[in-house]
Amino acid sequence: MEQKPPSWHGTTILSVRKGRQVAMAGDGQVSFNQTVIKSNARKVRRLGGGSILAGFAGSTADAFTLLERLEAKLERHPGQLTRACVELAKDWRTDRYLRRLEAMMAVADADVSLVLTGNGDVLEPEDGLIGIGSGGAYALAAAKALVDIDGLSAEDIARKAMKIAAGICVYTNDSIIIETLDQR
C-alpha cells in the first residue's frame, strides 16, 4: 500500500464586511502532521498599494505563487479586483503548473469580497462573510452569529470569531493578525 506523504495543516482565514468596514483575519499556526512548526505566520497581506486584503489557506509556497500572480493581474487591471481575480482563475484552471497548486484565497477591497479556488471558482458571498482553511467553517459560523450585534465593528467580529475558532480547531491558534479597510 502506497503511503501518503505527511501533510501540512493549518490556517484559518476570515473576512468580515460590516457597514463601511472590511476586516480580514488569519491565525498564525502552521502545522506538519501533529507538530506545530510555527505559531506566528502572517497569512493576511495587503495588495494593490494597500487597497486590497488577501488571505491564503493551503500550501504556503503555492499561496505565495498565487499572491504574486494576483499582484500581476492587479497591475494589468488596476482598481478592478473582480476582473483580476477572474483572469487569475482562468490561468489557474488552464495552466498545467498552476493547476497543481493547493491553496485557496480570500480577497477583499472596499467594494467586493471574493473567494478564489483551484477549481477556477471566483465566488462572492451574498452576506460579505468568508471563512476558509481548516478552521474556516468555525470562524464563519461564529461571525454569522455576531454580525447582527449592534456596536460590533467588522474588526471586533473578526477578532471574536477567530478566538472561537481557535478554541475549537486544533489547527488554528489565537495568534491573530487582522487587517482592515474602511470605505470612503
Side-chain angles (χ1 to χ4, degrees), residues 56-60 62-64 66 92 101-105 116-118:
F56 60 86
S59 166
T60 305
D62 292 355
F64 280 120
L66 291 170
W92 196 350
L101 298 182
E102 295 181 14
M104 289 182 75
M105 289 177 40
L116 287 81
T117 74

Side-chain angles (χ1 to χ4, degrees), residues 101-128:
L101 298 182
E102 295 181 14
M104 289 182 75
M105 289 177 40
V107 295
D109 66 8
D111 301 314
V112 67
S113 297
L114 302 167
V115 177
L116 287 81
T117 74
N119 295 329
D121 298 318
V122 178
L123 306 168
E124 180 180 2
E126 60 189 46
D127 58 4

